[in-house]
C-alpha cells in the first residue's frame, strides 16, 4: 500500500512540482515512537518524509512542509506501522483511514518549536480569520461518501463521514443474500463437544459444570419426555445469587438441593411471565435445525433476545430422538460472513468506513444531546449486588468498569458470575459487601501479571476503526462486545455488541 522512499521529499521539491505559492504547514505526531515518518497525497504516497523530535518533548515528532493550498491527505509511519491521529479529521479512501487537512491562503506566523507544556495542541498557522466558525464540506466522487469538518475557535473538530445510502443498501443486500443461501450446517465444527445437562440436576452442580467447562450456556434434557426443554445460562445464576443476596425465598441450602427444573419453575414467578389470564407459562425452547438458513437463524436470535440457539436434528418426522449438534451464536455466523467476503471486500462498500459514521451501538451522549438508551457504567468499588441488579434492570450483558475519569479498567459480564463457583465462593460472600474489583479477582489466576486490567478480557476499539476491523474482532470466539474508547486516555465512548452489529447489517 505504501512504500518508504530512500530519499525524503524536500519542501522545495513540492513547490517546484506545483508551481504555486506554498504555505508552511507543521505536522505533529504526539504519541511517541523511535522512527516516525509522514507520507501523503503531497508525495503521491510514494515517498516518506522523516519527522524530528521536538526539543524538550522527545515523544512529540514534527515535520514542517511547504504545501500548496487545498486539501491534503496524510498518514504517519511509526516504527514500521502505518498510523493516523485519532483526534484529527479523518477520511477513508484507497489508503485506508487517513488524516485530512485543508490549507487556506497565506499562513499566520508560527513558532518553529512546539511548547513542552502543550505537546498535543494544534498549530494555527494553516487557519486564517475567514476559516473561523466555518464548515468545510468535501465530497469524494471515487468513494461515494462525504464528510464534514467544523472549524470553531481555530480548532478543527472531528470529521464524521456520511455513508452513501446506496452503498449501505448494496452491502446489506449482499450480506442478506449470502446468509439466505447458506445454512446452519456450515457452522458445525469438524470436531468438538457439546454439553447438555439433565433438567433434574441440582442447580449447584450445574453452576460448577459451567465454570469448570468454561461455558456460559447448556441445553437442558428432559429424560422422562426424551426431549430438550430449555437452556440454563449465566443469567440464571445472576438471578439466583440476586435472590440469595436479598432475602428471598431461595436459601443457600436450597441451592444445594434445588433442581434445575424447580428453579425454572420458580423463575417464571420471579419474572412474572404470564398470559392475559394471569396464568404462568414457560418460555418455549428456541432452537433451529441444521438446514435452516443463516439469515433465519440470525433473526431468530435477535427476535428472541438470546445469545445462542441449539442446533438440533431429528431423523424422525415427529421430532423424536433429537440430536444436539451445535450451539450456534451470532459470533459463528459473523465468522462465516468475514470468511466469505475476506477476498472480495469491494462487494461491501461500507467495510472501509469508520464505525462512527454508522448508527451502530450505544454511545455516550454529547453535551446537549439526548440518548434514548443510556450506557451503564460502574466504578470498581461498587458492590457486586449493584452490578447484578444493573445487568438485570438495564437488560445488558456487560457493564464497563471505569475510574473517576471514565477510563476503562475492566468489564463485568453476566458470564463472570460463574467465577463464584470457584471454591464455592457464592456460599461465603455477601453481595452488598463484595466489590466488583474483588469479584473480578476471583475469576483471575492469582499468578496473573496483569492485575485488575486484563487485556484479554477488555476487547476495545476506536471510533475511527473501520467496520471490517470491528467485524473481525467480534467474530473471535468469546468476544460478544467491543468497548469504544478514546485513543490514549481509554475513556469510554460507547459499546458495540454482536446483536448491535447484526441489527445494523440486516437493517433489523
Amino acid at each position: 500500500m505504501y512504500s518508504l522512499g530512500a530519499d525524503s521529499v524536500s519542501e522545495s521539491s513540492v513547490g517546484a512540482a506545483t508551481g504555486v505559492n506554498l504555505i508552511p504547514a507543521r505536522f505533529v505526531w504526539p504519541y511517541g515512537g523511535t522512527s516516525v515518518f509522514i507520507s501523503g497525497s503531497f508525495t503521491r504516497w510514494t515517498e516518506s518524509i522523516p519527522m524530528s523530535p521536538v526539543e524538550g518533548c522527545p515523544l512529540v515528532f514534527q515535520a514542517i512542509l511547504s504545501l500548496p493550498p487545498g486539501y491534503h491527505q496524510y498518514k504517519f509511519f511509526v516504527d514500521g506501522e502505518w498510523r493516523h491521529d485519532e483526534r484529527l479529521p479523518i477520511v477513508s479512501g484507497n489508503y485506508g483511514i487517513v488524516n485530512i487537512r485543508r490549507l487556506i491562503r497565506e499562513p499566520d506566523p508560527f513558532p518553529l518549536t512546539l511548547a513542552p507544556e502543550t505537546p498535543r495542541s494544534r498549530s494555527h498557522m494553516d487557519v486564517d480569520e475567514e476559516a473561523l466558525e466555518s464548515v468545510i464540506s468535501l465530497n469524494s466522487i471515487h468513494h461515494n461518501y462525504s464528510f464534514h469538518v467544523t472549524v470553531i475557535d481555530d480548532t478543527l473538530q472531528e470529521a464524521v463521514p456520511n455513508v452513501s445510502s446506496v452503498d449501505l443498501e448494496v452491502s446489506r443486500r449482499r450480506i442478506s443474500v449470502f446468509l439466505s443461501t447458506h445454512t446452519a450446517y456450515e457452522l458445525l465444527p469438524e470436531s468438538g463437544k457439546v454439553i447438555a445437562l439433565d433438567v433434574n440436576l441440582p442447580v449447584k452442580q450445574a453452576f460448577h459444570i459451567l465454570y469448570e467447562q468454561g461455558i456460559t450456556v447448556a441445553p437442558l434434557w428432559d429424560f422422562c419426555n426424551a426431549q430438550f426443554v430449555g437452556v440454563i445460562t449465566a443469567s440464571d445464576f445472576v438471578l439466583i445469587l440476586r435472590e440469595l443476596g436479598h432475602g428471598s425465598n431461595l436459601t443457600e441450602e436450597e441451592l444445594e438441593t434445588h433442581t434445575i427444573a424447580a428453579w425454572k419453575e420458580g423463575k417464571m414467578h420471579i419474572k412474572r411471565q404470564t398470559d392475559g389470564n394471569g396464568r404462568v407459562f414457560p418460555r418455549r425452547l428456541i432452537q433451529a435445525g441444521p438446514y435452516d438458513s443463516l439469515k433465519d437463524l440470525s433473526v431468530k436470535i435477535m427476535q428472541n433476545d438470546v445469545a445462542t440457539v441449539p442446533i438440533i436434528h431429528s431423523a424422525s418426522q415427529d421430532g423424536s430422538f433429537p440430536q444436539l449438534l451445535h450451539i450456534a451464536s451470532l459470533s459463528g455466523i459473523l465468522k462465516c460472513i468475514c470468511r466469505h467476503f475476506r477476498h472480495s471486500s469491494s462487494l461491501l462498500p461500507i467495510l472501509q468506513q469508520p464505525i462512527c459514521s454508522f448508527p451502530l451501538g450505544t454511545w455516550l451522549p454529547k453535551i446537549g444531546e439526548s440518548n434514548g438508551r443510556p450506557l451503564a457504567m460502574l466504578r470498581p468499588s461498587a458492590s457486586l449486588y449493584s452490578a447484578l441488579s444493573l445487568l438485570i434492570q438495564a437488560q445488558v450483558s456487560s457493564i464497563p468498569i471505569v475510574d473517576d475519569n471514565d477510563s476503562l479498567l475492566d468489564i463485568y459480564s453476566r458470564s463472570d458470575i460463574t467465577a463464584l463457583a470457584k471454591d464455592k465462593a457464592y456460599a461465603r460472600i455477601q453481595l452488598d459487601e463484595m466489590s466488583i474489583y474483588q469479584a473480578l479477582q476471583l475469576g483471575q489466576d492469582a499468578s496473573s501479571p496483569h492485575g485488575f486490567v486484563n487485556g484479554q478480557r477488555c476487547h476495545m476499539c476506536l471510533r475511527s476503526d473501520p467496520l471490517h476491523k470491528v467485524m473481525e474482532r467480534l467474530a473471535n470466539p468469546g468476544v460478544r462486545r467491543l468497548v469504544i474508547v478514546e485513543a490514549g486516555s481509554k475513556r469510554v465512548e460507547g459499546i458495540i455488541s454482536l446483536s448491535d452489529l447484526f441489527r445494523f447489517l440486516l437493517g433489523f
Side-chain angles (χ1 to χ4, degrees), residues 35 51 57 66 93 103 133 168 170 223 243 271 302 335 385 399-400 417 437 439 472 506:
S35 174
M51 303 182 72
C57 297
S66 293
L103 299 183
E133 299 182 1
L168 182 57
V170 166
F223 180 78
E243 286 292 297
K271 299 187 73 174
M302 291 186 291
K335 189 173 183 178
Y385 180 78
I399 304 170
I417 201 69
Y437 173 85
E472 289 168 358
L506 296 179

Side-chain angles (χ1 to χ4, degrees), residues 33-76:
T34 303
S35 174
V36 182
F37 294 80
I38 186 172
S39 184
S41 55
F42 40 79
T43 68
R44 299 188 178 183
W45 298 103
T46 59
E47 300 180 59
S48 295
I49 302 171
M51 303 182 72
S52 304
V54 173
E55 184 178 356
C57 297
L59 297 181
V60 180
F61 290 78
Q62 71 173 359
I64 300 173
L65 310 178
S66 293
L67 302 176
Y71 292 99
H72 299 276
Q73 296 183 14
Y74 61 96
K75 207 162 186 175
F76 302 94

Side-chain angles (χ1 to χ4, degrees), residues 30-340:
Y31 306 116
T34 303
S35 174
V36 182
F37 294 80
I38 186 172
S39 184
S41 55
F42 40 79
T43 68
R44 299 188 178 183
W45 298 103
T46 59
E47 300 180 59
S48 295
I49 302 171
M51 303 182 72
S52 304
V54 173
E55 184 178 356
C57 297
L59 297 181
V60 180
F61 290 78
Q62 71 173 359
I64 300 173
L65 310 178
S66 293
L67 302 176
Y71 292 99
H72 299 276
Q73 296 183 14
Y74 61 96
K75 207 162 186 175
F76 302 94
F77 192 75
V78 183
D79 295 338
E81 181 181 355
W82 287 102
R83 306 277 297 278
H84 61 276
D85 192 334
E86 304 288 347
R87 66 189 176 91
L88 299 179
I90 58 172
V91 69
S92 181
N94 290 337
Y95 299 98
I97 297 177
V98 299
N99 291 118
I100 188 164
R101 183 169 180 175
R102 186 189 189 199
L103 299 183
I104 308 173
R105 293 186 179 178
E106 296 300 324
D108 293 331
F110 60 89
L112 294 178
T113 60
L114 190 65
E117 64 273 16
T118 58
R120 293 176 182 265
S121 62
R122 290 282 322 277
S123 168
H124 295 169
M125 60 191 168
D126 57 338
V127 181
D128 64 9
E129 292 300 320
E130 289 187 11
L132 301 182
E133 299 182 1
S134 65
V135 177
I136 304 167
S137 296
L138 177 66
N139 295 315
S140 170
I141 298 175
H142 300 291
H143 305 292
N144 203 19
Y145 62 79
S146 65
F147 67 92
H148 303 280
V149 184
T150 304
V151 186
I152 301 176
D153 296 334
D154 264 7
T155 302
L156 282 177
Q157 304 297 314
E158 179 184 15
V160 180
N162 295 323
V163 179
S164 161
S165 59
V166 175
D167 283 350
L168 182 57
E169 181 60 31
V170 166
S171 300
R172 282 176 169 171
R173 184 171 65 251
R174 286 171 176 165
I175 290 175
S176 179
V177 168
F178 167 75
L179 294 177
S180 298
T181 54
H182 292 74
T183 67
Y185 188 83
E186 297 178 45
L187 300 177
L188 273 59
E190 294 182 1
S191 62
K193 65 178 179 181
V194 182
I195 296 175
L197 303 179
D198 192 290
V199 75
N200 291 314
L201 194 70
V203 169
K204 184 198 72 171
Q205 290 188 32
F207 201 179
H208 282 279
I209 290 172
L210 291 190
Y211 170 72
E212 292 168 358
Q213 296 297 325
I215 58 177
T216 60
V217 59
L220 300 176
W221 174 254
D222 186 338
F223 180 78
C224 296
N225 296 312
Q227 62 180 355
F228 292 97
V229 294
V231 296
I232 190 166
T233 71
S235 297
D236 286 300
F237 295 109
V238 171
L239 287 171
I240 289 172
L241 292 185
R242 188 167 176 264
E243 286 292 297
L244 280 173
H246 265 254
S248 51
N249 301 323
L250 188 62
T251 65
E252 198 275 328
E253 289 76 16
E254 287 178 317
L255 187 63
E256 299 277 339
T257 58
H258 237 47
T259 65
I260 299 174
W263 157 246
K264 288 292 186 180
E265 181 71 21
K267 178 183 175 182
M268 288 189 293
H269 292 279
I270 293 173
K271 299 187 73 174
R272 302 183 64 83
Q273 293 175 316
T274 61
D275 61 15
N277 298 319
R279 293 173 300 187
V280 178
F281 67 95
R283 183 177 181 177
R284 63 183 180 85
L285 173 64
I286 309 301
Q287 65 181 65
Y291 302 109
D292 291 353
S293 74
L294 292 180
K295 183 175 181 179
D296 289 343
L297 184 56
S298 302
V299 171
K300 184 173 291 188
I301 290 175
M302 291 186 291
Q303 283 183 336
N304 292 281
D305 194 25
V306 294
T308 58
V309 169
I311 305 299
I312 298 174
H313 176 64
S314 175
S316 305
Q317 292 184 351
D318 60 0
S320 58
F321 305 106
Q323 291 181 303
L324 177 62
L325 303 179
H326 185 59
I327 305 295
S329 67
L330 292 178
S331 176
I333 300 173
L334 182 59
K335 189 173 183 178
C336 289
I337 295 175
C338 293
R339 184 169 58 240
H340 178 76

Side-chain angles (χ1 to χ4, degrees), residues 487-500:
S489 69
K490 290 188 179 179
R491 291 185 62 184
V492 175
E493 295 186 324
I495 192 166
I496 296 177
S497 68
L498 275 165
S499 58
D500 291 333

Side-chain angles (χ1 to χ4, degrees), residues 362-396:
T362 302
W363 295 74
L364 283 177
K366 296 180 180 178
I367 297 176
E369 291 182 351
S370 60
N371 189 356
R373 184 185 174 192
L375 180 62
M377 297 189 293
L378 287 174
R379 301 285 187 262
S381 58
S383 70
L384 180 57
Y385 180 78
S386 65
L388 300 186
S389 298
L390 189 56
L391 286 171
I392 296 170
Q393 294 167 4
Q395 296 182 332
V396 294

Side-chain angles (χ1 to χ4, degrees), residues 430-487:
Q430 295 293 325
L431 298 183
D432 279 334
E433 297 177 1
M434 172 172 274
S435 68
I436 298 175
Y437 173 85
Q438 293 170 325
L440 287 168
Q441 289 294 314
L442 289 176
Q444 294 183 4
D445 186 350
S447 62
S448 172
H450 299 291
F452 188 44
V453 179
N454 188 330
Q456 294 182 344
R457 290 176 43 80
C458 292
H459 301 281
M460 298 172 287
C461 67
L462 304 174
R463 63 167 50 235
S464 60
D465 281 345
L467 180 61
H468 75 84
K469 180 183 287 187
V470 169
M471 291 172 61
E472 289 168 358
R473 289 179 182 173
L474 284 172
N476 290 324
V479 180
R480 291 192 57 191
R481 85 279 306 166
L482 295 178
V483 182
I484 308 165
V485 298
E486 182 182 62

